[in-house]
Amino acid sequence: MINFILRRVVTSVVLLIIISMVTFGVFFMVPKLAGTNPAELYVGKSATPADVAATARKLGLDKPIYVQYGEFMKGLVAGREYDNGPDKTHCAAPCFGYSFRNDRPVWPLLLDRLPVTISLTVGAAIIWLLGGVLAGVISALRRGSVLDRIVMVVALAGVSLPIYFTGLLAQLFFVHNLHWFKGGEYVNFADDPFGWANKLFLGWVTLALLYAATYARLTRAQMLETVSEDYIRTARAKGLRERVVVGKHAMRSVLTPIVTIFGLDLGAALGGAILTESVFSLPGIGRLSIDAVNTKDLPVVLGVTLFGAMFIVLANFLVDIVYAVIDPRVRLS
Amino acid sequence: MRIKRGAVVAGTVALALGLSACGGGGSSSDNASKGASGYNAGVHGIVNPSEKKGGTLRFGYTSDVDSLDPTRIYYASGQNFMRAFYNRTLLTPASKPGADGLILEPDMAEVLPEISADKLTYTFKLKKGLKFEDGTPVTSKDVKYGIERSFATDVLSGGPPYLKDMLDQGQNYPGPYKDTDPEKLGLKSVQTPDDSTIVFKLAAPFSDFPYLLVMAAGAVPKAKDTGEKYTNHPVSTGPYMVEKFDPGKKLTMVRNPNWDPATDKTRKALPDRIEMTLQMNADELDKQLLDGTLDLDFGQTGVQQAAQAKILLDPNLKKNADAPNNGAIRYAALSTQVAPFDNVHCRKAVQYATDKTAIQTARGGSENGGDIAVNMLPPNIGGHDPKLDPYNTKSGKPQVDKAKEELKLCGKPNGFETKIAVRNKGKEPKMAEALQQSLAAVGIKATIDQSDASLYFRSTIGSPANVHSKGYGIMVAGWLADFPTGYGYLDVLVDGRLILPSGNNNYEELNDPEINSLIDQAKAEPDAKKAQAIWSQINAKVMDTASLVPFVYEKAMNYRNPRLTNVFQDQYWGEWSFGQLGVSDGK
Amino acid sequence: MTLGPVTSSTDLTTPAEEEASTVTDGKKIEGRSLGRIAWTRLKRDKVALTGGGIIIFLILVAIFAPVLNKLFGHPVNEFHQDKIDPNLGGIPPIGTWGGISTDFLLGVQPVTGRDLFSQIIYGAQTSLLIALLATLLAVMIGIVVGITAGFFGGWIDSLFSRFMDLILAFPLILFAIALISVLPPTYWYRVTVIVLIIGGFSWPYIGRIVRGQTLSLREREFVEAARSIGAGNFRIIFRELLPNLAAPILVYSTLIIPTNILFEAALSFLGVGVPSPTPSWGRLLSDAVNYYEYDPMYMVVPGTAIFITVLAFNLFGDGLRDALDPKSNR
């Protein structure tokens, strides 16, 4: 087992390093290919070529890309210093770069926004997991019934609705017409738990709808497959009550793949629910990245991308481990 | 949507925005005493005049502030804000309604500067009793140091470039951080013979020089200069100082105990605290303005279209809104170096064919978009002439027949193909589409070439070489003067000797010897009235070349919380005068 | 990422399950004409047929947009100043329900007064063109990589599999907007880049499935048989494997089209889609965000267009899967 975990750790780290190289390369090379000098983005409109060159030098943009990448990785592990006029700015490890637009290291910026994204995705995840699985189970048990059909139609509609449409509709009805929710700026849970939930509720529900639909369909298919397995028939034949059969025996095998996917989806969503955060104007990682893209704040864009990738890789890693615990055969492969 | 608003704001950055101002518009001192109310009351008079102190003045902003470092601030609202609250300068605009607001009065200077007979030396004496927020006295060396910082563009980018251009005089001064002088006061053109005297030496006479000092940092103590991080806590000389600045979130300011009101006759300093919520969602900001949570929008760029409809449809809200001309103009430049616009008649065809009403609507309509523009000097700049309308476009309607006539004269009776360059953000693409549609009606087939807003003015249309190679016949642009004179407004747009390889503002590459020589006359003219008359003449000549198509004189509709006191439009900034505001309920 | 479901639906196919399903699949395929069985099943599935009908309708609309527009619409980017009140900045349009009338079937766009009907039918062109091109690209890369990995196995398989993991680990939307926003925003540039990005990031979904199927197929008797009579790799791949892979490829291609449509719309919504004035549903929606309180129809119309299109592809794809996969039809 330890051997297996170690192997997965190594793979994950290698994956992250490759992602960082690709992302770094893309963000620092592509503007050059398109004929813009990244340094020009930081200088004023009337800056002279000498100013541009000076800025490039200060940001290290004049060095070959592999040197820049090396410095970036070194900063990630050990922190780094940025030349800042009369004194140096220290960017402590993990230094994801320094945002010259915000005059702050990227890492604290990310940490600032993280609670919002966690509040949004974890809240939504609870709803989509419970709602989706419940709907799927009911649907499977009542297969062919009107209820089943309704659940499946809603589920298919849910998968087909873009969140930037449902989100707007929800706001139109519940915020502007019915005034059930206040809209308004995000508040911290610690400051005002009710305001926090009020602001997040519509986001939770719309984001959850998107995923719950998938989970319902998945649970239903898995459940239908499971209940026809021999061991379930045996359980039934033993005279166990239906609730025990479904709740104890069938659910176990239904939940295994669901948990896997849940881990991956949650990992991806934590990396920044960009669309949800834009529609509901939540100041999370997703909105930070949009702002950064709009202001061409490359270090922040790079930081957010790596951060998001980290969540996905981490989720993959955890899912693998959980899987290995459940099913020992995986460890051998 | 934050994206949208952010985009609009980002769009204005590139405009080299500073201040705007005026010579027109009568003095409104009669209104001042009794106060004005209703829609646009703050444009013509003072709303809720009061001397009541106390309470918290609450700003909201859709973006982060560019910087709080006075050397780096270039936006009009940033300039307005720092001048009102924490950055005193040698001279400052008088903060009065109407044309009086355009006059510069001594601020840190004892009196107006002594100017030598050859108009090359400006000598200022500092007031006594000026202190920084930590109690140390302000000396002329701090003032000089503040100016020197604007040379260190490698560390402190983005600020106004004027003083650097004007004062370097061949020295190649690298800024104080690389200065070899032990005191870091190596700039030769500025001298500080004693702690209360500062002397500026110019290379050539320049009557607008005092305006440049208004845009710069007032005084920066070398011991407290933290370079790029100075934005986190600029050391105040004004009535307020930074309590806490949390970038991207919130700025709070409290009273500065070391500010002596006896040394400052400009600022009212009524509220006890100033707060600014940053990075707000644009619609959320409007909502909080309308429900009274916030007092005003820091950006002063006007409410969103949703709130605009709400305000205009509800008289109770409308009476708390002002939609002044903010001094900006939206226009298109026709490249005189790109065929067929090298022919004046083809340019005139565009002047006639343009549907200015459609463009006005795309910008937000007559209230929040702007007034139809008929020439290149907006109404609040001295020298504006509303009757100067050589292409008869006041109605905003296209004149297809006239346009076709010009096309014939140009030798292109069936029209021609060209390219429209435009930024890809905010309302800009829709303006270009409106223009494209109206040109199509006379046979001019224009394709729209959108490009990245952040480099648009610097290297897309700001680089003549790029304009030629891409074949941009029409370039959509906007302009807001850095200081309120004809020179500050029009010079860089039309002066043929200022065509730069990058960051050019003379997009149309107009280089007319007659215009150039008139500019020289106006620059050296010490009498403001006479200078205005010359600028008026230059404006007419420019319109005759048909190389600039004015669309609208921009208006921005802002909502003021009814509890705000002393609200009036400061024509110097094209915005409400932040430094005079108070709150009536003391909260 | 919020576009999530694709991750879910494909990660479902763990290798074990794939192999199980191919066994049954394979028998059917060998026994009788797959096409005919599938068609019989599909004909019975009214829901899927409705989906298919809508898809055909939408494709026809996109192809004949110019004709339809001539009959029922107005020149696509023509301004109609008389349909809006310029004093209010053109919001909301004059008339009820976003200015819907017999002349303007779906109402008008605020501010410009453009005909929304024309915008929608030309928007269908943009949406379908990009989604289909991207899907085509994804399927092609997916087949090549999937077959190579599955057929040759060994280190090639590990390499390609890790590569697919790598691509799936990218925070896709963010990466896409960041990348697109640094490139010039001209029409062909954008279309090309969007197609490359959507296609370039969605092929692993196809690739994984093809790989899994190939893995199991290459051990089967008919492949062995072909090999024993001296068929080369090339021949085995093209004559034996590909025909047997057609069914799953078809199903999963149909199922990634709706995701790709959503992706394109999302990019436009975030301001990095095709540049204006080329009509795009996603951009209409992002424009509508500014006015939806006053002109909800302007949001509802493009939103519904996206919804119906995506739903139709999902319904049809589901039906197709059921028809081609006997197991799911129990």
Side-chain angles (χ1 to χ4, degrees):
Chain A
M1 188 70 197
I2 291 182
N3 208 339
F4 173 78
I5 294 182
L6 277 178
R7 243 183 14 237
R8 296 306 295 168
V9 169
V10 172
T11 328
S12 301
V13 170
V14 170
L15 202 60
L16 276 176
I17 291 178
I18 296 175
I19 290 178
S20 71
M21 284 168 131
V22 174
T23 321
F24 198 89
V26 165
F27 289 141
F28 288 84
M29 289 306 283
V30 167
K32 276 204 186 118
L33 294 180
T36 46
N37 177 353
E40 284 195 73
L41 296 167
Y42 294 97
V43 298
K45 176 188 158 218
S46 43
T48 60
D51 291 337
V52 176
T55 307
R57 210 165 29 250
K58 191 182 73 170
L59 302 184
L61 294 169
D62 55 338
K63 295 179 190 149
I65 185 145
Y66 59 88
V67 176
Q68 291 185 46
Y69 178 73
E71 284 177 356
F72 178 79
M73 290 310 274
K74 211 180 106 210
L76 208 52
V77 180
R80 71 194 273 199
E81 301 279 330
Y82 282 93
D83 186 9
N84 179 30
D87 57 5
K88 303 243 183 229
T89 301
H90 183 63
C91 171
C95 178
F96 274 82
Y98 187 87
S99 162
F100 290 90
R101 294 230 186 260
N102 288 291
D103 287 323
R104 284 178 78 188
V106 174
W107 180 243
L109 278 175
L110 286 172
L111 286 188
D112 265 5
R113 304 299 190 97
L114 192 57
V116 183
T117 303
I118 289 182
S119 301
L120 173 69
T121 44
V122 172
I126 293 172
I127 299 178
W128 91 56
L129 186 62
L130 294 182
V133 170
L134 199 67
V137 169
I138 293 174
S139 199
L141 294 181
R142 301 261 183 282
R143 184 147 77 104
S145 70
V146 179
L147 190 68
D148 176 27
R149 271 158 204 245
I150 293 177
V151 170
M152 282 305 106
V153 167
V154 171
L156 202 56
V159 187
S160 310
L161 277 167
I163 196 156
Y164 38 88
F165 183 40
T166 39
L168 291 180
L169 279 179
Q171 289 196 58
L172 180 66
F173 284 118
F174 298 114
V175 178
H176 295 297
N177 288 357
L178 297 173
H179 300 288
W180 288 2
F181 300 97
K182 287 200 302 279
E185 291 285 293
Y186 176 82
V187 285
N188 286 322
F189 178 77
D191 298 341
D192 175 7
F194 289 104
W196 172 80
N198 188 303
K199 173 68 187 170
L200 285 168
F201 189 79
L202 288 178
W204 285 339
V205 173
T206 36
L207 183 57
L209 179 68
L210 189 74
Y211 284 95
T214 322
Y215 282 64
R217 281 155 60 89
L218 223 97
T219 309
R220 179 177 181 273
Q222 201 69 26
M223 192 78 183
L224 285 178
E225 200 165 310
T226 311
V227 290
S228 62
E229 299 273 350
D230 292 341
Y231 73 97
I232 297 291
R233 283 189 210 148
T234 315
R236 283 221 178 92
K238 276 199 302 190
L240 289 180
R241 278 182 304 161
E242 190 66 20
R243 182 182 302 176
V244 180
V245 174
V246 173
K248 220 171 157 189
H249 293 80
M251 276 315 274
R252 181 169 297 167
S253 77
V254 168
L255 280 184
T256 319
I258 300 275
V259 167
T260 313
I261 290 153
F262 180 70
L264 299 177
D265 280 345
L266 190 61
L270 280 174
I274 294 183
L275 290 166
T276 321
E277 287 176 12
S278 323
V279 171
F280 292 98
S281 57
L282 295 164
I285 305 260
R287 221 176 90 183
L288 175 69
S289 62
I290 290 278
D291 289 341
V293 166
N294 280 335
T295 53
K296 299 279 150 61
D297 196 346
L298 290 181
V300 175
V301 174
L302 182 69
V304 181
T305 311
L306 284 182
F307 197 61
M310 212 170 68
F311 272 114
I312 297 175
V313 172
L314 186 70
N316 264 305
F317 171 74
L318 289 178
V319 163
D320 277 353
I321 300 294
V322 171
Y323 233 75
V325 171
I326 298 172
D327 184 352
R329 282 174 302 174
V330 174
R331 279 176 244 167
L332 300 170
S333 66
Chain B
M1 288 289 298
R2 241 213 57 70
I3 310 172
K4 292 254 137 176
R5 181 63 164 259
V8 175
V9 173
T12 34
V13 188
L15 278 187
L17 291 203
L19 349 167
S20 86
C22 127
S27 157
S28 20
S29 43
D30 342 329
N31 279 341
S33 48
K34 48 187 185 291
S37 64
Y39 183 56
N40 272 340
V43 180
H44 308 296
I46 300 182
V47 180
N48 298 332
S50 163
E51 295 295 324
K52 187 174 155 61
K53 288 189 193 275
T56 303
L57 181 63
R58 294 186 177 88
F59 287 88
Y61 192 34
T62 52
S63 181
D64 201 349
V65 287
D66 263 4
S67 174
L68 289 181
D69 186 332
T71 303
R72 303 183 71 177
I73 290 179
Y74 207 157
Y75 284 117
S77 49
Q79 290 264 338
N80 186 356
F81 189 84
M82 72 170 178
R83 199 106 13 244
F85 300 131
Y86 65 90
N87 180 56
R88 295 181 63 181
T89 38
L90 290 170
L91 304 175
T92 197
S95 288
K96 288 177 182 147
D100 296 349
L102 296 172
I103 298 165
L104 297 184
E105 60 184 27
D107 185 3
M108 289 205 295
E110 184 85 74
V111 289
L112 290 173
E114 195 181 297
I115 305 170
S116 63
D118 60 2
K119 304 207 171 57
L120 292 178
T121 308
Y122 286 66
T123 308
F124 291 88
K125 287 271 178 206
L126 290 186
K127 276 178 187 155
K128 304 227 166 0
L130 295 171
K131 284 180 187 142
F132 287 111
E133 65 181 58
D134 58 1
T136 44
V138 176
T139 69
S140 57
K141 299 195 170 54
D142 300 315
V143 178
K144 177 174 179 184
Y145 185 79
I147 286 162
E148 285 184 341
R149 286 176 95 242
S150 68
F151 285 68
T153 47
D154 54 336
V155 180
L156 309 168
S157 58
Y162 294 100
L163 280 177
K164 184 182 178 205
D165 294 348
M166 185 115 335
L167 295 172
D168 192 46
Q169 300 168 13
Q171 187 189 345
N172 280 326
Y173 182 64
Y177 308 132
K178 293 185 183 145
D179 193 340
T180 48
D181 179 77
E183 283 202 71
K184 309 292 178 201
L185 294 172
L187 181 63
K188 289 179 194 147
S189 55
V190 182
Q191 287 152 14
T192 51
D194 61 57
D195 274 359
S196 64
T197 311
I198 183 162
V199 183
F200 296 87
K201 292 223 152 73
L202 305 188
F206 180 54
S207 51
D208 283 348
F209 179 69
Y211 291 103
L212 305 186
L213 295 173
V214 174
M215 292 184 77
V220 175
K222 190 178 76 200
K224 294 278 173 75
D225 183 10
T226 47
E228 201 153 34
K229 282 184 291 185
Y230 191 66
T231 176
N232 293 327
H233 195 119
V235 182
S236 171
T237 48
Y240 300 91
M241 58 188 189
V242 174
E243 181 187 56
K244 192 161 181 284
F245 177 39
D246 201 350
K249 285 182 183 160
K250 203 165 178 113
L251 166 69
T252 51
M253 301 188 84
V254 291
R255 284 194 185 276
N256 170 8
N258 285 303
W259 171 74
D260 181 359
T263 65
D264 192 337
K265 62 174 187 145
T266 313
R267 296 165 186 82
K268 282 204 193 305
L270 298 178
D272 286 337
R273 281 175 72 80
I274 290 154
E275 292 183 3
M276 174 151 32
T277 312
L278 300 165
Q279 293 281 21
M280 294 185 74
N281 169 272
D283 288 311
E284 178 59 26
L285 188 150
D286 289 343
K287 194 188 292 166
Q288 294 197 13
L289 285 174
L290 297 184
D291 73 16
T293 314
L294 289 175
D295 292 318
L296 72 163
D297 173 13
F298 168 79
Q300 295 281 295
T301 43
V303 294
Q304 296 295 291
Q305 280 150 311
Q308 177 195 341
K310 192 181 256 175
I311 291 169
L312 289 176
L313 292 169
D314 182 347
N316 275 325
L317 295 175
K318 193 175 173 183
K319 69 176 190 215
N320 295 324
D322 286 343
N325 282 110
N326 64 5
I329 189 167
R330 300 284 164 179
Y331 70 100
L334 309 179
S335 176
T336 55
Q337 301 298 313
V338 172
F341 290 119
D342 47 356
N343 184 323
V344 67
H345 294 291
C346 277
R347 302 199 292 265
K348 283 186 177 166
V350 173
Q351 297 275 4
Y352 285 118
T354 303
D355 183 346
K356 291 186 181 176
T357 313
I359 294 173
Q360 179 190 37
T361 313
R363 286 220 62 86
S366 53
E367 295 305 326
N368 199 18
D371 297 322
I372 302 279
V374 293
N375 61 53
M376 284 303 292
L377 273 182
N380 38 4
I381 294 281
H384 169 72
D385 179 2
K387 288 192 280 297
L388 176 64
D389 184 7
Y391 305 104
N392 192 25
T393 57
K394 186 73 209 138
S395 73
K397 288 276 161 274
Q399 302 156 72
V400 175
D401 295 342
K402 286 234 165 138
K404 286 191 170 157
E405 262 170 52
E406 294 293 343
L407 280 176
K408 267 186 214 129
L409 291 172
C410 176
K412 306 260 180 194
N414 299 316
F416 51 86
E417 291 187 11
T418 187
K419 270 194 197 167
I420 302 178
V422 69
R423 283 172 287 167
N424 65 343
K425 291 283 161 76
K427 296 166 177 171
E428 301 289 317
K430 270 191 188 147
M431 288 167 67
E433 287 160 29
L435 182 61
Q436 183 189 36
Q437 285 294 313
S438 53
L439 294 183
V442 299
I444 302 175
K445 213 174 150 279
T447 46
I448 296 176
D449 196 358
Q450 300 193 31
S451 43
D452 190 350
S454 49
L455 292 172
Y456 185 73
F457 290 107
R458 177 174 167 72
S459 47
T460 307
I461 67 167
S463 154
N466 186 57
V467 171
H468 303 163
S469 70
K470 293 273 174 62
Y472 293 143
I474 305 175
M475 294 162 273
V476 179
W479 182 248
L480 182 56
D482 286 340
F483 41 94
T485 64
Y487 170 81
Y489 206 91
L490 213 47
D491 180 47
V492 289
L493 300 187
V494 300
D495 191 329
R497 294 150 302 182
L498 296 180
I499 300 171
L500 304 170
S502 82
N504 179 28
N505 289 307
N506 187 343
Y507 312 115
E508 72 282 4
E509 293 175 72
L510 190 61
N511 191 356
D512 181 328
E514 208 182 338
I515 292 175
N516 293 351
S517 81
L518 279 169
I519 289 173
D520 289 340
Q521 271 183 47
K523 254 166 95 175
E525 176 57 62
D527 180 354
K529 277 271 176 296
K530 282 184 195 154
Q532 278 177 17
I534 304 174
W535 281 109
S536 210
Q537 220 181 320
I538 295 170
N539 186 21
K541 291 251 179 258
V542 168
M543 287 311 292
D544 286 343
T545 69
S547 53
L548 295 169
V549 188
F551 296 148
V552 292
Y553 303 129
E554 187 160 278
K555 280 171 155 184
M557 189 166 87
N558 286 296
Y559 185 83
R560 45 182 145 81
N561 191 325
R563 77 179 190 132
L564 280 180
T565 61
N566 290 320
V567 194
F568 65 88
Q569 193 209 3
D570 190 330
Q571 297 203 349
Y572 199 95
W573 314 105
E575 301 177 346
W576 291 323
S577 189
F578 291 164
Q580 312 302 310
L581 296 172
V583 292
S584 58
D585 55 6
K587 283 181 195 148
Chain C
M1 217 108 300
T2 344
L3 281 176
V6 149
T7 333
S8 316
S9 56
T10 35
D11 281 322
L12 218 205
T13 35
T14 54
E17 202 189 327
E18 276 165 37
E19 275 161 40
S21 70
T22 1
V23 176
T24 32
D25 250 6
K27 272 175 196 152
K28 296 281 180 191
I29 292 165
E30 279 171 89
R32 276 189 279 161
S33 155
L34 178 76
R36 192 175 305 165
I37 308 168
W39 176 235
T40 326
R41 289 214 186 90
L42 200 58
K43 267 198 297 193
R44 285 202 299 263
D45 190 345
K46 293 282 181 298
V47 182
L49 281 185
T50 316
I54 297 175
I55 294 173
I56 293 172
F57 174 74
L58 285 167
I59 293 177
L60 289 178
V61 165
I63 293 173
F64 294 106
V67 182
L68 285 172
N69 199 41
K70 213 156 230 141
L71 292 175
F72 304 110
H74 299 79
V76 64
N77 285 321
E78 191 178 73
F79 280 50
H80 295 273
Q81 297 279 313
D82 50 329
K83 295 291 162 198
I84 48 162
D85 182 353
N87 288 327
L88 293 177
I91 328 153
I94 292 167
T96 48
W97 297 99
I100 289 182
S101 65
T102 49
D103 195 20
F104 291 84
L105 297 174
L106 294 175
V108 300
Q109 182 180 36
V111 180
T112 60
R114 282 176 185 151
D115 187 352
L116 210 45
F117 174 80
S118 315
Q119 295 279 316
I120 291 288
I121 59 175
Y122 277 97
Q125 273 187 347
T126 312
S127 216
L128 293 177
L129 177 78
I130 290 182
L132 293 179
L133 283 180
T135 307
L136 192 68
L137 180 68
V139 169
M140 288 191 327
I141 307 179
I143 291 175
V144 171
V145 175
I147 288 190
T148 314
F151 188 78
F152 294 105
W155 65 271
I156 297 184
D157 184 23
S158 323
L159 185 74
F160 280 153
S161 297
R162 288 288 86 76
F163 187 48
M164 291 192 265
D165 286 351
L166 176 74
I167 289 189
L168 293 177
F170 264 89
L172 182 48
I173 298 195
L174 172 60
F175 191 78
I177 52 172
L179 185 56
I180 297 172
S181 71
V182 294
L183 294 169
T186 52
Y187 179 76
W188 284 111
Y189 225 116
R190 277 278 167 93
V191 170
T192 315
V193 173
I194 293 170
V195 166
L196 287 180
I197 285 186
I198 302 183
F201 279 95
S202 56
W203 67 264
Y205 299 116
I206 304 278
R208 280 188 165 183
I209 283 155
V210 171
R211 172 186 166 270
Q213 301 273 351
T214 311
L215 265 181
S216 70
L217 281 177
R218 72 166 182 181
E219 304 302 335
R220 301 278 299 288
E221 300 86 342
F222 66 94
V223 176
E224 290 292 309
R227 208 185 289 279
S228 68
I229 57 167
N233 286 344
F234 190 80
R235 191 188 153 85
I236 291 175
I237 288 175
F238 279 89
R239 299 295 293 270
E240 309 294 341
L241 291 182
L242 264 182
N244 283 299
L245 289 170
I249 290 172
L250 185 65
V251 169
Y252 283 93
S253 311
T254 319
L255 286 173
I256 62 167
I257 292 175
T259 322
N260 290 350
I261 292 177
L262 284 178
F263 197 169
E264 185 275 329
L267 291 179
S268 291
F269 182 80
L270 294 171
V272 290
V274 291
S276 62
T278 311
S280 141
W281 294 343
R283 183 152 30 73
L284 285 175
L285 255 185
S286 91
D287 192 33
V289 168
N290 299 314
Y291 322 111
Y292 71 96
E293 253 181 281
Y294 298 91
D295 185 8
M297 281 314 284
Y298 181 42
M299 168 190 77
V300 170
V301 170
T304 310
I306 298 176
F307 172 55
I308 291 177
T309 311
V310 173
L311 185 66
F313 275 102
N314 274 333
L315 289 174
F316 184 71
D318 261 20
L320 200 61
R321 179 170 51 192
D322 290 348
L324 287 168
D325 179 4
K327 203 177 65 157
S328 66
N329 220 22
R330 281 189 296 222

